[in-house]
Amino acid sequence: SSSNYKNILVSSPEKGVTLITLNRPKALNALNSELFTELNHAAKTADEDAGVNAIVLTGSEKAFAAGADIKEMLSKDFSTAYKSNFLGHWTELTQVRKPIIAAVSGHALGGGCELAMMCDVILASSTANFGQPEINLGVIPGAGGSQRLTKALGKSLSMELVLTGRGLSAAEAEKHGLISRVVPEGGDVVAEAVKVAVQIGKKGQIAVQAAKEAVNASFELPLAEGLRVERRLFQALFATKDQKEGMGAFAEKRKPAFTNE
Ligand code: HXC
């Protein structure tokens, strides 16, 4: 249960929204195995809870997460890493069907940047510092940094970041499409992310989950197959009450009351 978590905090700032806060301040939210197991559990719990529509994931002012836990990794050898499928469980988060909005302040480095990129929307405060500094540790990104970053930023900038380990400011991240937007100074990135979650919560949730599935298909499939997935999902939504309600409400010039059926 949530009271047993040692490395994260779970709360509900608004109806239908689960807020997960990474909470290992002494290590700048370095992502050790226990933290990630707790994060997976909390996200899965929210995904299975019919009262939850969207998840917000955040860290602290100083760090969203400063990476995988270097001290935990230091003495690992290949056979242990391979046999235990080290970091394999990180991808569980990408199986969550409800939208996850990352609210990033401070360092989002290495595995921290990769974690943010596993989310569906990234909002950042002006203090955010993204990067893949693994090259400085004698390794490379291991949880999507070479793949998701490249899809977001293109080859040249991703190569520069991954090969030099330099950071990417919030402004640069916004300019190059890694994040959806920077919350201006004085604003509250978590509150802003919760607002987005609340907005999403007002829609029909079958359509929301189908939309997430369709957008994600674009990262995995060739265009023709992606378009087929999109069209099938679109057609399938005509079997929902929410489609009749949404289009009916438009025609009758009233607000829709979605029931997620
Ligand atoms: C373990 C970490 C850590 C990490 C910080 N800490 N990052 N511990 N793993 N990734 C710990 C520090 O050891 C220190 O502990 C405390 O957090 C505070 O950090 P400082 O370095 O004192 O803070 P500061 O001077 O403000 O510098 C912040 C920083 C720096 C620039 C973010 O901490 C840093 O460079 N961290 C490592 C970033 C990194 O290389 N990330 C990639 C990791 S590899 P003590 O006990 O000394 O107080 C990775 C691989 C992913 O993520 C592959 C697949 C998942």
Side-chain angles (χ1 to χ4, degrees):
S1 82
S2 65
S3 55
N4 293 330
Y5 296 141
K6 292 194 198 115
N7 306 277
I8 62 172
L9 302 170
V10 180
S11 63
S12 179
E14 291 282 351
K15 192 166 172 288
V17 182
T18 291
L19 172 64
I20 302 176
T21 306
L22 306 179
N23 187 34
R24 265 192 95 196
K26 283 183 187 147
L28 301 183
N29 292 331
L31 306 162
N32 63 12
S33 295
E34 187 182 60
L35 182 153
F36 225 98
T37 300
E38 292 179 4
L39 172 58
N40 279 333
H41 184 270
K44 190 162 187 277
T45 303
D47 208 26
E48 287 169 355
D49 183 342
V52 175
N53 299 324
I55 298 164
V56 173
L57 176 62
T58 195
S60 68
E61 291 276 317
K62 193 160 182 228
F64 178 73
D69 191 315
I70 298 167
K71 292 160 193 169
E72 188 184 63
M73 290 187 287
L74 174 62
S75 58
K76 269 203 200 309
D77 59 17
F78 170 75
S79 56
T80 333
Y82 189 84
K83 282 192 288 187
S84 67
N85 191 19
F86 181 53
L87 301 181
H89 70 306
W90 280 35
T91 54
E92 279 174 37
L93 199 69
T94 64
Q95 305 305 312
V96 170
R97 298 172 71 210
K98 292 173 183 171
I100 307 179
I101 298 139
V104 177
S105 296
H107 301 292
L109 300 176
C113 185
E114 292 169 314
L115 173 59
M117 292 190 292
M118 284 181 216
C119 299
D120 301 305
V121 177
I122 307 176
L123 299 188
S125 59
S126 52
T127 62
N129 168 39
F130 297 89
Q132 300 290 162
E134 287 90 343
I135 202 76
N136 298 326
L137 301 168
V139 292
I140 67 168
S146 66
Q147 306 298 302
R148 291 196 181 95
L149 194 73
T150 306
K151 288 201 160 78
L153 300 180
K155 176 174 167 177
S156 183
L157 184 54
S158 295
M159 278 288 190
E160 186 190 337
L161 296 182
V162 170
L163 296 179
T164 69
R166 85 155 168 96
L168 192 74
S169 69
E172 270 185 297
E174 182 181 50
K175 181 176 165 204
H176 295 284
L178 179 64
I179 64 177
S180 64
R181 60 193 156 93
V182 183
V183 175
E185 250 166 282
D188 179 340
V189 70
V190 177
E192 204 59 40
V194 170
K195 265 194 220 166
V196 173
V198 167
Q199 278 301 113
I200 292 169
K202 290 176 182 162
K203 318 298 178 190
Q205 296 306 303
I206 300 175
V208 164
Q209 292 185 21
K212 169 168 171 168
E213 193 180 336
V215 173
N216 276 336
S218 78
F219 290 96
E220 292 170 6
L221 301 176
L223 181 61
E225 273 185 60
L227 290 172
R228 245 190 311 276
V229 166
E230 181 191 68
R231 197 179 320 115
R232 285 287 176 270
L233 284 166
F234 177 78
Q235 290 164 344
L237 290 170
F238 286 81
T240 65
K241 287 186 184 164
D242 284 346
Q243 175 266 333
K244 297 289 173 293
E245 172 61 16
M247 294 191 181
F250 177 83
E252 292 161 21
K253 299 186 189 298
R254 59 173 177 85
K255 281 202 169 144
F258 295 119
T259 55
N260 306 330
E261 290 166 293

